[in-house]
Amino acid sequence: MTITQDSTAPLVAVVGATGIQGGSVVKALAESDKPYRIRGLTRDATKPAAQALVAQGVEVVTVEIVVENKDAVIKAFSGANAVFLVTAYMVHADAARETAEGKMMIDAAKAAGVEHIVWSGLPAVRKLSGGAVQNVLNFDSKAEVTEHGFQSGVPFVNIQAGFYDTNFVGWAAPTKKADGSLVIRLAVRPTTRFPMIYAEEDYGLYVRRALEAPVFPNGAEVLTGEYITGEDMVRQLAEVTGKQITFEQISLEQLEKEFSAVMPPPLVATFVDAMKWADEFGYYGGAPTTSLEGLGRTPKSWKQFCQIADWSKFLA
């Protein structure tokens, strides 16, 4: 159904509406057979992605999500029946800032009278690992926000994003070996499982399910994605592309060395310990992913992503 301007339809305010997760939420709500008014929050309403939302009927609001801007965030949330909240650790690599901004958004939503909050959190790695893994800062900072949300008094759901399929056309893309074959190199065992998700297309389905449930699932922890091992990911990619591709486990020390050349230290530490966490404890700490029952459509599998992704610059 086309996004509506009808004042009787519920209004959903979406933080990061031009980003991966926020954009997916807008997409999923626009696909629904139920009418929604959507208010998309973005730092720059003039950029093409924001203008594309306007063309779809989204009310686009420019607002900087920083702690000092709480009054503007309250205003941006005012009148909304529900809000979707997400933070951007990878933009600033500052865990304390991420936690502060996440808590501020929850407080702003409460002050604005929002009825339901959907939040994109991640597991509490330090707690779940018994302190063995210390530097997955973006997971722990989000987990702190999650606790604040559950204590806010506003009905609250935590919908955690799995491991992005698109990582494998980014930092984890196949590389060429000396013999011309291809390899995907990760600092985990071949049998380590990741909950894979094509986030741009499918993350928003879980948000929509929560908003359209007969009773809003207050207190729910939703773990998105399809579990698949590294070796099976590579095997399926090879089947789809017809290329010889292998999986290679590298050491955490090697990963640190390679990432140190292209990333600031906080991000390097985060990536290295994230691999340690996934390998030793599991991406979700060993918990199963959430059922797909009741989603608006079936999310794309890893193999389906492989079939539609552009691998040309990696496989040529």
Side-chain angles (χ1 to χ4, degrees), residues 259-315:
F259 279 11
S260 293
V262 295
M263 291 182 181
L267 280 183
V268 173
T270 294
F271 268 95
V272 169
D273 264 16
M275 290 296 106
K276 179 179 179 180
W277 160 252
D279 197 43
E280 296 183 12
F281 297 91
Y283 185 94
Y284 290 134
T289 55
T290 301
S291 167
L292 304 182
E293 184 178 355
L295 293 179
R297 55 178 168 77
T298 303
K300 290 180 175 61
S301 67
W302 162 253
K303 190 167 188 176
Q304 288 172 316
F305 171 78
C306 291
Q307 292 167 336
I308 61 177
D310 181 7
W311 302 96
S312 56
K313 64 181 177 181
F314 309 111
L315 306 185

CSV table of all heavy atoms in Angstrom, one decimal, residues 259-315:
chain,number,residue,atom,x,y,z
A,259,PHE,N,43.6,-4.7,9.5
A,259,PHE,CA,42.6,-3.7,9.8
A,259,PHE,C,43.2,-2.4,10.3
A,259,PHE,O,42.7,-1.3,10.1
A,259,PHE,CB,41.5,-4.1,10.7
A,259,PHE,CG,40.4,-4.9,10.0
A,259,PHE,CD1,40.6,-5.4,8.7
A,259,PHE,CD2,39.2,-5.2,10.7
A,259,PHE,CE1,39.6,-6.1,8.1
A,259,PHE,CE2,38.2,-6.0,10.0
A,259,PHE,CZ,38.4,-6.4,8.7
A,260,SER,N,44.4,-2.5,11.0
A,260,SER,CA,45.1,-1.4,11.5
A,260,SER,C,45.5,-0.4,10.4
A,260,SER,O,45.7,0.8,10.7
A,260,SER,CB,46.2,-1.8,12.4
A,260,SER,OG,45.8,-2.5,13.6
A,261,ALA,N,45.7,-0.9,9.3
A,261,ALA,CA,46.2,-0.1,8.1
A,261,ALA,C,45.0,0.7,7.6
A,261,ALA,O,45.3,1.7,6.9
A,261,ALA,CB,46.7,-1.0,7.1
A,262,VAL,N,43.8,0.4,7.9
A,262,VAL,CA,42.7,1.1,7.2
A,262,VAL,C,41.6,1.6,8.2
A,262,VAL,O,40.7,2.3,7.8
A,262,VAL,CB,42.0,0.2,6.2
A,262,VAL,CG1,43.0,-0.1,5.1
A,262,VAL,CG2,41.5,-1.1,6.8
A,263,MET,N,41.7,1.3,9.5
A,263,MET,CA,40.7,1.7,10.4
A,263,MET,C,41.3,2.4,11.7
A,263,MET,O,42.4,2.1,12.0
A,263,MET,CB,39.9,0.5,10.9
A,263,MET,CG,39.0,-0.2,9.9
A,263,MET,SD,38.2,-1.6,10.6
A,263,MET,CE,37.2,-2.1,9.2
A,264,PRO,N,40.5,3.2,12.4
A,264,PRO,CA,41.0,3.8,13.6
A,264,PRO,C,41.0,2.7,14.7
A,264,PRO,O,40.3,1.7,14.6
A,264,PRO,CB,40.0,4.9,14.0
A,264,PRO,CG,38.7,4.5,13.2
A,264,PRO,CD,39.2,3.8,12.0
A,265,PRO,N,41.9,2.9,15.7
A,265,PRO,CA,42.1,1.8,16.8
A,265,PRO,C,40.8,1.3,17.4
A,265,PRO,O,40.6,0.1,17.6
A,265,PRO,CB,43.0,2.5,17.8
A,265,PRO,CG,43.8,3.4,17.0
A,265,PRO,CD,42.9,4.0,15.9
A,266,PRO,N,39.8,2.2,17.7
A,266,PRO,CA,38.6,1.6,18.4
A,266,PRO,C,37.8,0.7,17.5
A,266,PRO,O,37.3,-0.4,17.9
A,266,PRO,CB,37.7,2.9,18.7
A,266,PRO,CG,38.7,4.0,18.7
A,266,PRO,CD,39.8,3.7,17.7
A,267,LEU,N,37.8,1.0,16.2
A,267,LEU,CA,37.1,0.1,15.2
A,267,LEU,C,37.9,-1.2,15.0
A,267,LEU,O,37.3,-2.3,14.9
A,267,LEU,CB,36.9,0.7,13.9
A,267,LEU,CG,35.7,1.7,13.8
A,267,LEU,CD1,35.6,2.2,12.4
A,267,LEU,CD2,34.4,1.1,14.2
A,268,VAL,N,39.2,-1.2,15.0
A,268,VAL,CA,40.0,-2.4,14.9
A,268,VAL,C,39.8,-3.3,16.1
A,268,VAL,O,39.5,-4.5,15.9
A,268,VAL,CB,41.5,-2.0,14.8
A,268,VAL,CG1,42.4,-3.3,14.9
A,268,VAL,CG2,41.8,-1.2,13.6
A,269,ALA,N,39.8,-2.8,17.3
A,269,ALA,CA,39.6,-3.6,18.5
A,269,ALA,C,38.2,-4.2,18.5
A,269,ALA,O,38.0,-5.3,18.9
A,269,ALA,CB,39.7,-2.7,19.7
A,270,THR,N,37.2,-3.4,18.0
A,270,THR,CA,35.8,-3.9,17.9
A,270,THR,C,35.7,-5.1,16.9
A,270,THR,O,35.1,-6.1,17.2
A,270,THR,CB,34.9,-2.7,17.5
A,270,THR,OG1,34.8,-1.8,18.5
A,270,THR,CG2,33.5,-3.3,17.2
A,271,PHE,N,36.3,-4.9,15.7
A,271,PHE,CA,36.2,-6.0,14.7
A,271,PHE,C,37.0,-7.2,15.2
A,271,PHE,O,36.5,-8.4,15.1
A,271,PHE,CB,36.8,-5.5,13.4
A,271,PHE,CG,35.8,-4.9,12.5
A,271,PHE,CD1,35.6,-3.5,12.4
A,271,PHE,CD2,35.1,-5.7,11.6
A,271,PHE,CE1,34.7,-3.0,11.6
A,271,PHE,CE2,34.2,-5.2,10.7
A,271,PHE,CZ,34.0,-3.8,10.7
A,272,VAL,N,38.1,-7.1,15.8
A,272,VAL,CA,38.9,-8.2,16.2
A,272,VAL,C,38.1,-9.0,17.3
A,272,VAL,O,38.0,-10.2,17.2
A,272,VAL,CB,40.3,-7.8,16.8
A,272,VAL,CG1,41.0,-9.0,17.5
A,272,VAL,CG2,41.1,-7.3,15.6
A,273,ASP,N,37.6,-8.3,18.3
A,273,ASP,CA,36.9,-9.0,19.4
A,273,ASP,C,35.6,-9.5,19.0
A,273,ASP,O,35.0,-10.5,19.5
A,273,ASP,CB,36.8,-8.1,20.6
A,273,ASP,CG,37.9,-8.4,21.6
A,273,ASP,OD1,38.9,-9.0,21.2
A,273,ASP,OD2,37.8,-8.0,22.8
A,274,ALA,N,35.0,-8.9,17.9
A,274,ALA,CA,33.7,-9.4,17.4
A,274,ALA,C,33.9,-10.7,16.8
A,274,ALA,O,33.1,-11.6,16.9
A,274,ALA,CB,33.1,-8.4,16.4
A,275,MET,N,35.0,-10.9,16.1
A,275,MET,CA,35.3,-12.3,15.6
A,275,MET,C,35.6,-13.3,16.7
A,275,MET,O,35.1,-14.4,16.6
A,275,MET,CB,36.5,-12.2,14.6
A,275,MET,CG,36.3,-11.4,13.3
A,275,MET,SD,35.0,-12.2,12.2
A,275,MET,CE,33.6,-11.1,12.5
A,276,LYS,N,36.3,-12.9,17.7
A,276,LYS,CA,36.6,-13.8,18.8
A,276,LYS,C,35.2,-14.1,19.5
A,276,LYS,O,35.0,-15.3,19.8
A,276,LYS,CB,37.5,-13.1,19.8
A,276,LYS,CG,37.7,-13.9,21.1
A,276,LYS,CD,38.7,-13.1,22.1
A,276,LYS,CE,38.9,-14.0,23.3
A,276,LYS,NZ,39.8,-13.3,24.3
A,277,TRP,N,34.4,-13.2,19.7
A,277,TRP,CA,33.0,-13.4,20.3
A,277,TRP,C,32.2,-14.4,19.4
A,277,TRP,O,31.7,-15.4,20.0
A,277,TRP,CB,32.3,-12.1,20.4
A,277,TRP,CG,30.8,-12.2,20.6
A,277,TRP,CD1,29.9,-11.8,19.6
A,277,TRP,CD2,30.1,-12.6,21.7
A,277,TRP,NE1,28.6,-12.0,20.1
A,277,TRP,CE2,28.7,-12.5,21.4
A,277,TRP,CE3,30.5,-13.0,23.0
A,277,TRP,CZ2,27.7,-12.8,22.3
A,277,TRP,CZ3,29.5,-13.4,23.9
A,277,TRP,CH2,28.1,-13.3,23.6
A,278,ALA,N,32.1,-14.1,18.1
A,278,ALA,CA,31.3,-15.0,17.3
A,278,ALA,C,31.9,-16.4,17.2
A,278,ALA,O,31.1,-17.4,17.3
A,278,ALA,CB,31.3,-14.4,15.9
A,279,ASP,N,33.2,-16.6,17.2
A,279,ASP,CA,33.8,-17.9,17.1
A,279,ASP,C,33.7,-18.7,18.4
A,279,ASP,O,33.4,-19.9,18.4
A,279,ASP,CB,35.3,-17.7,16.8
A,279,ASP,CG,36.0,-19.0,16.3
A,279,ASP,OD1,35.3,-19.7,15.4
A,279,ASP,OD2,37.1,-19.3,16.7
A,280,GLU,N,33.9,-18.0,19.6
A,280,GLU,CA,33.9,-18.7,20.8
A,280,GLU,C,32.5,-18.8,21.5
A,280,GLU,O,32.2,-19.8,22.2
A,280,GLU,CB,34.9,-18.1,21.8
A,280,GLU,CG,36.3,-18.1,21.3
A,280,GLU,CD,37.3,-17.5,22.3
A,280,GLU,OE1,36.9,-17.3,23.5
A,280,GLU,OE2,38.5,-17.3,21.9
A,281,PHE,N,31.7,-17.8,21.3
A,281,PHE,CA,30.4,-17.8,22.0
A,281,PHE,C,29.2,-17.8,21.1
A,281,PHE,O,28.1,-18.1,21.6
A,281,PHE,CB,30.3,-16.6,22.9
A,281,PHE,CG,31.4,-16.6,24.0
A,281,PHE,CD1,32.6,-16.0,23.8
A,281,PHE,CD2,31.2,-17.2,25.2
A,281,PHE,CE1,33.6,-16.0,24.8
A,281,PHE,CE2,32.1,-17.2,26.2
A,281,PHE,CZ,33.4,-16.6,26.0
A,282,GLY,N,29.4,-17.4,19.8
A,282,GLY,CA,28.2,-17.3,18.9
A,282,GLY,C,27.8,-15.8,18.8
A,282,GLY,O,27.8,-15.1,19.8
A,283,TYR,N,27.4,-15.4,17.6
A,283,TYR,CA,27.0,-14.0,17.4
A,283,TYR,C,25.9,-13.5,18.4
A,283,TYR,O,26.0,-12.4,18.9
A,283,TYR,CB,26.5,-13.9,16.0
A,283,TYR,CG,26.1,-12.5,15.5
A,283,TYR,CD1,27.1,-11.7,14.8
A,283,TYR,CD2,24.9,-11.9,15.7
A,283,TYR,CE1,26.8,-10.4,14.4
A,283,TYR,CE2,24.6,-10.7,15.3
A,283,TYR,CZ,25.5,-9.9,14.6
A,283,TYR,OH,25.2,-8.6,14.2
A,284,TYR,N,25.0,-14.4,18.7
A,284,TYR,CA,23.9,-14.1,19.6
A,284,TYR,C,24.2,-14.8,21.0
A,284,TYR,O,23.2,-15.1,21.7
A,284,TYR,CB,22.5,-14.5,19.1
A,284,TYR,CG,22.0,-13.6,18.0
A,284,TYR,CD1,21.4,-14.2,16.8
A,284,TYR,CD2,22.0,-12.2,18.0
A,284,TYR,CE1,20.9,-13.4,15.8
A,284,TYR,CE2,21.5,-11.4,17.0
A,284,TYR,CZ,21.0,-12.0,15.9
A,284,TYR,OH,20.5,-11.3,14.9
A,285,GLY,N,25.4,-15.1,21.3
A,285,GLY,CA,25.7,-15.8,22.5
A,285,GLY,C,25.1,-17.2,22.6
A,285,GLY,O,24.9,-17.8,23.6
A,286,GLY,N,24.9,-17.8,21.4
A,286,GLY,CA,24.4,-19.2,21.4
A,286,GLY,C,22.9,-19.3,21.2
A,286,GLY,O,22.4,-20.4,21.1
A,287,ALA,N,22.2,-18.2,21.3
A,287,ALA,CA,20.8,-18.2,21.2
A,287,ALA,C,20.3,-18.5,19.8
A,287,ALA,O,20.9,-18.0,18.9
A,287,ALA,CB,20.2,-16.9,21.8
A,288,PRO,N,19.1,-19.1,19.7
A,288,PRO,CA,18.6,-19.4,18.3
A,288,PRO,C,18.0,-18.1,17.7
A,288,PRO,O,17.6,-17.2,18.5
A,288,PRO,CB,17.5,-20.4,18.6
A,288,PRO,CG,17.0,-20.2,20.0
A,288,PRO,CD,18.3,-19.7,20.7
A,289,THR,N,18.0,-18.0,16.4
A,289,THR,CA,17.3,-16.9,15.8
A,289,THR,C,15.8,-17.0,15.9
A,289,THR,O,15.2,-18.1,16.2
A,289,THR,CB,17.7,-16.8,14.3
A,289,THR,OG1,17.4,-18.0,13.6
A,289,THR,CG2,19.1,-16.4,14.1
A,290,THR,N,15.1,-15.9,15.8
A,290,THR,CA,13.6,-15.9,16.0
A,290,THR,C,12.9,-16.4,14.8
A,290,THR,O,13.3,-16.3,13.6
A,290,THR,CB,13.2,-14.4,16.2
A,290,THR,OG1,13.9,-13.9,17.4
A,290,THR,CG2,11.7,-14.3,16.5
A,291,SER,N,11.8,-17.1,15.0
A,291,SER,CA,10.9,-17.6,14.0
A,291,SER,C,10.6,-16.6,12.9
A,291,SER,O,10.4,-15.4,13.2
A,291,SER,CB,9.7,-18.2,14.6
A,291,SER,OG,8.7,-18.5,13.6
A,292,LEU,N,10.4,-17.1,11.7
A,292,LEU,CA,10.0,-16.3,10.5
A,292,LEU,C,8.5,-16.2,10.4
A,292,LEU,O,8.0,-15.4,9.6
A,292,LEU,CB,10.6,-16.8,9.2
A,292,LEU,CG,12.1,-17.0,9.1
A,292,LEU,CD1,12.5,-17.5,7.7
A,292,LEU,CD2,12.8,-15.7,9.5
A,293,GLU,N,7.8,-16.9,11.3
A,293,GLU,CA,6.3,-17.0,11.2
A,293,GLU,C,5.7,-15.6,11.4
A,293,GLU,O,6.1,-14.8,12.3
A,293,GLU,CB,5.8,-17.9,12.3
A,293,GLU,CG,4.3,-18.1,12.2
A,293,GLU,CD,3.8,-19.1,13.2
A,293,GLU,OE1,4.6,-19.7,13.9
A,293,GLU,OE2,2.5,-19.2,13.3
A,294,GLY,N,4.8,-15.2,10.5
A,294,GLY,CA,4.1,-13.9,10.7
A,294,GLY,C,4.8,-12.8,10.0
A,294,GLY,O,4.3,-11.6,10.1
A,295,LEU,N,5.9,-13.0,9.4
A,295,LEU,CA,6.6,-11.9,8.7
A,295,LEU,C,5.8,-11.6,7.4
A,295,LEU,O,5.1,-12.5,6.8
A,295,LEU,CB,8.0,-12.2,8.3
A,295,LEU,CG,9.0,-12.3,9.5
A,295,LEU,CD1,10.4,-12.7,9.0
A,295,LEU,CD2,9.1,-11.0,10.3
A,296,GLY,N,5.8,-10.4,6.9
A,296,GLY,CA,5.1,-10.0,5.7
A,296,GLY,C,5.5,-10.8,4.4
A,296,GLY,O,4.6,-11.0,3.5
A,297,ARG,N,6.7,-11.3,4.4
A,297,ARG,CA,7.2,-12.2,3.3
A,297,ARG,C,8.4,-12.9,3.9
A,297,ARG,O,8.9,-12.5,4.9
A,297,ARG,CB,7.5,-11.4,2.0
A,297,ARG,CG,8.5,-10.2,2.2
A,297,ARG,CD,8.9,-9.5,1.0
A,297,ARG,NE,9.6,-8.3,1.2
A,297,ARG,CZ,10.8,-8.2,1.5
A,297,ARG,NH1,11.6,-9.3,1.7
A,297,ARG,NH2,11.4,-7.0,1.8
A,298,THR,N,8.9,-13.9,3.1
A,298,THR,CA,10.0,-14.7,3.6
A,298,THR,C,11.3,-13.9,3.3
A,298,THR,O,11.5,-13.4,2.1
A,298,THR,CB,10.1,-16.0,2.9
A,298,THR,OG1,8.9,-16.7,3.1
A,298,THR,CG2,11.3,-16.8,3.4
A,299,PRO,N,12.2,-13.7,4.3
A,299,PRO,CA,13.4,-13.0,4.0
A,299,PRO,C,14.3,-13.8,3.0
A,299,PRO,O,14.2,-15.0,2.9
A,299,PRO,CB,14.1,-12.9,5.4
A,299,PRO,CG,13.0,-13.1,6.3
A,299,PRO,CD,12.0,-14.0,5.7
A,300,LYS,N,15.1,-13.1,2.3
A,300,LYS,CA,16.0,-13.7,1.3
A,300,LYS,C,17.0,-14.5,2.1
A,300,LYS,O,17.6,-14.1,3.1
A,300,LYS,CB,16.7,-12.7,0.4
A,300,LYS,CG,15.7,-12.0,-0.6
A,300,LYS,CD,16.4,-11.0,-1.4
A,300,LYS,CE,15.4,-10.5,-2.5
A,300,LYS,NZ,14.2,-9.8,-1.9
A,301,SER,N,17.3,-15.7,1.5
A,301,SER,CA,18.4,-16.6,2.1
A,301,SER,C,19.7,-16.0,1.6
A,301,SER,O,19.8,-15.2,0.7
A,301,SER,CB,18.2,-18.0,1.6
A,301,SER,OG,18.4,-18.1,0.2
A,302,TRP,N,20.8,-16.5,2.3
A,302,TRP,CA,22.1,-16.2,1.8
A,302,TRP,C,22.3,-16.5,0.3
A,302,TRP,O,22.9,-15.7,-0.4
A,302,TRP,CB,23.2,-16.9,2.7
A,302,TRP,CG,24.5,-16.9,2.1
A,302,TRP,CD1,25.2,-18.0,1.5
A,302,TRP,CD2,25.4,-15.8,1.9
A,302,TRP,NE1,26.4,-17.6,1.0
A,302,TRP,CE2,26.6,-16.3,1.3
A,302,TRP,CE3,25.4,-14.5,2.3
A,302,TRP,CZ2,27.7,-15.5,1.0
A,302,TRP,CZ3,26.5,-13.6,1.9
A,302,TRP,CH2,27.6,-14.1,1.3
A,303,LYS,N,21.8,-17.7,-0.1
A,303,LYS,CA,22.0,-18.1,-1.4
A,303,LYS,C,21.3,-17.2,-2.4
A,303,LYS,O,21.8,-16.8,-3.5
A,303,LYS,CB,21.6,-19.6,-1.6
A,303,LYS,CG,21.9,-20.1,-3.0
A,303,LYS,CD,21.7,-21.6,-3.0
A,303,LYS,CE,22.3,-22.2,-4.3
A,303,LYS,NZ,22.2,-23.7,-4.3
A,304,GLN,N,20.1,-16.7,-2.0
A,304,GLN,CA,19.4,-15.8,-2.8
A,304,GLN,C,20.1,-14.5,-2.9
A,304,GLN,O,20.1,-13.8,-4.0
A,304,GLN,CB,18.0,-15.6,-2.3
A,304,GLN,CG,17.0,-16.8,-2.5
A,304,GLN,CD,15.7,-16.6,-1.8
A,304,GLN,OE1,15.7,-16.2,-0.6
A,304,GLN,NE2,14.6,-16.9,-2.4
A,305,PHE,N,20.7,-14.0,-1.8
A,305,PHE,CA,21.5,-12.8,-1.9
A,305,PHE,C,22.7,-13.0,-2.9
A,305,PHE,O,23.0,-12.1,-3.7
A,305,PHE,CB,22.1,-12.5,-0.5
A,305,PHE,CG,23.1,-11.4,-0.5
A,305,PHE,CD1,22.7,-10.0,-0.7
A,305,PHE,CD2,24.4,-11.6,-0.5
A,305,PHE,CE1,23.6,-9.0,-0.7
A,305,PHE,CE2,25.4,-10.6,-0.5
A,305,PHE,CZ,24.9,-9.3,-0.7
A,306,CYS,N,23.3,-14.2,-2.8
A,306,CYS,CA,24.4,-14.4,-3.7
A,306,CYS,C,24.0,-14.3,-5.2
A,306,CYS,O,24.8,-13.9,-6.0
A,306,CYS,CB,25.0,-15.8,-3.5
A,306,CYS,SG,25.9,-16.0,-1.9
A,307,GLN,N,22.8,-14.7,-5.5
A,307,GLN,CA,22.2,-14.7,-6.8
A,307,GLN,C,22.0,-13.3,-7.3
A,307,GLN,O,22.0,-13.1,-8.6
A,307,GLN,CB,21.0,-15.6,-6.9
A,307,GLN,CG,21.2,-17.0,-6.7
A,307,GLN,CD,20.0,-17.8,-6.5
A,307,GLN,OE1,18.9,-17.3,-6.0
A,307,GLN,NE2,20.0,-19.1,-6.8
A,308,ILE,N,21.7,-12.4,-6.5
A,308,ILE,CA,21.3,-11.0,-6.9
A,308,ILE,C,22.4,-10.0,-6.7
A,308,ILE,O,22.4,-8.9,-7.3
A,308,ILE,CB,20.0,-10.5,-6.3
A,308,ILE,CG1,20.2,-10.5,-4.7
A,308,ILE,CG2,18.8,-11.5,-6.6
A,308,ILE,CD1,18.9,-10.0,-4.0
A,309,ALA,N,23.4,-10.3,-5.8
A,309,ALA,CA,24.5,-9.3,-5.5
A,309,ALA,C,25.4,-9.2,-6.8
A,309,ALA,O,25.5,-10.1,-7.6
A,309,ALA,CB,25.2,-9.8,-4.3
A,310,ASP,N,26.0,-8.0,-6.8
A,310,ASP,CA,27.0,-7.8,-7.9
A,310,ASP,C,28.4,-8.1,-7.4
A,310,ASP,O,29.0,-7.5,-6.6
A,310,ASP,CB,27.0,-6.3,-8.3
A,310,ASP,CG,27.9,-5.9,-9.4
A,310,ASP,OD1,28.5,-6.9,-9.9
A,310,ASP,OD2,28.1,-4.7,-9.7
A,311,TRP,N,28.9,-9.3,-7.9
A,311,TRP,CA,30.2,-9.8,-7.5
A,311,TRP,C,31.3,-9.5,-8.5
A,311,TRP,O,32.4,-9.9,-8.4
A,311,TRP,CB,30.1,-11.3,-7.3
A,311,TRP,CG,29.1,-11.8,-6.3
A,311,TRP,CD1,27.9,-12.2,-6.6
A,311,TRP,CD2,29.3,-11.8,-4.9
A,311,TRP,NE1,27.2,-12.5,-5.4
A,311,TRP,CE2,28.1,-12.3,-4.3
A,311,TRP,CE3,30.4,-11.5,-4.0
A,311,TRP,CZ2,27.9,-12.5,-3.0
A,311,TRP,CZ3,30.2,-11.7,-2.7
A,311,TRP,CH2,29.0,-12.2,-2.2
A,312,SER,N,30.9,-8.7,-9.6
A,312,SER,CA,31.8,-8.6,-10.8
A,312,SER,C,33.2,-8.1,-10.4
A,312,SER,O,34.2,-8.6,-11.0
A,312,SER,CB,31.1,-7.7,-11.8
A,312,SER,OG,30.8,-6.4,-11.3
A,313,LYS,N,33.3,-7.1,-9.5
A,313,LYS,CA,34.6,-6.5,-9.3
A,313,LYS,C,35.5,-7.4,-8.4
A,313,LYS,O,36.7,-7.3,-8.4
A,313,LYS,CB,34.5,-5.2,-8.7
A,313,LYS,CG,33.9,-5.1,-7.3
A,313,LYS,CD,33.8,-3.6,-6.8
A,313,LYS,CE,33.1,-3.5,-5.5
A,313,LYS,NZ,33.0,-2.1,-5.0
A,314,PHE,N,34.9,-8.4,-7.8
A,314,PHE,CA,35.6,-9.4,-7.0
A,314,PHE,C,36.0,-10.7,-7.7
A,314,PHE,O,37.0,-11.3,-7.4
A,314,PHE,CB,34.9,-9.7,-5.7
A,314,PHE,CG,34.4,-8.5,-4.9
A,314,PHE,CD1,33.0,-8.3,-4.9
A,314,PHE,CD2,35.3,-7.7,-4.3
A,314,PHE,CE1,32.5,-7.2,-4.2
A,314,PHE,CE2,34.8,-6.5,-3.6
A,314,PHE,CZ,33.4,-6.3,-3.6
A,315,LEU,N,35.1,-11.0,-8.7
A,315,LEU,CA,35.3,-12.3,-9.3
A,315,LEU,C,35.9,-12.3,-10.7
A,315,LEU,O,36.1,-13.3,-11.3
A,315,LEU,CB,33.9,-13.0,-9.4
A,315,LEU,CG,33.1,-13.2,-8.1
A,315,LEU,CD1,31.8,-13.9,-8.3
A,315,LEU,CD2,33.9,-13.8,-7.0
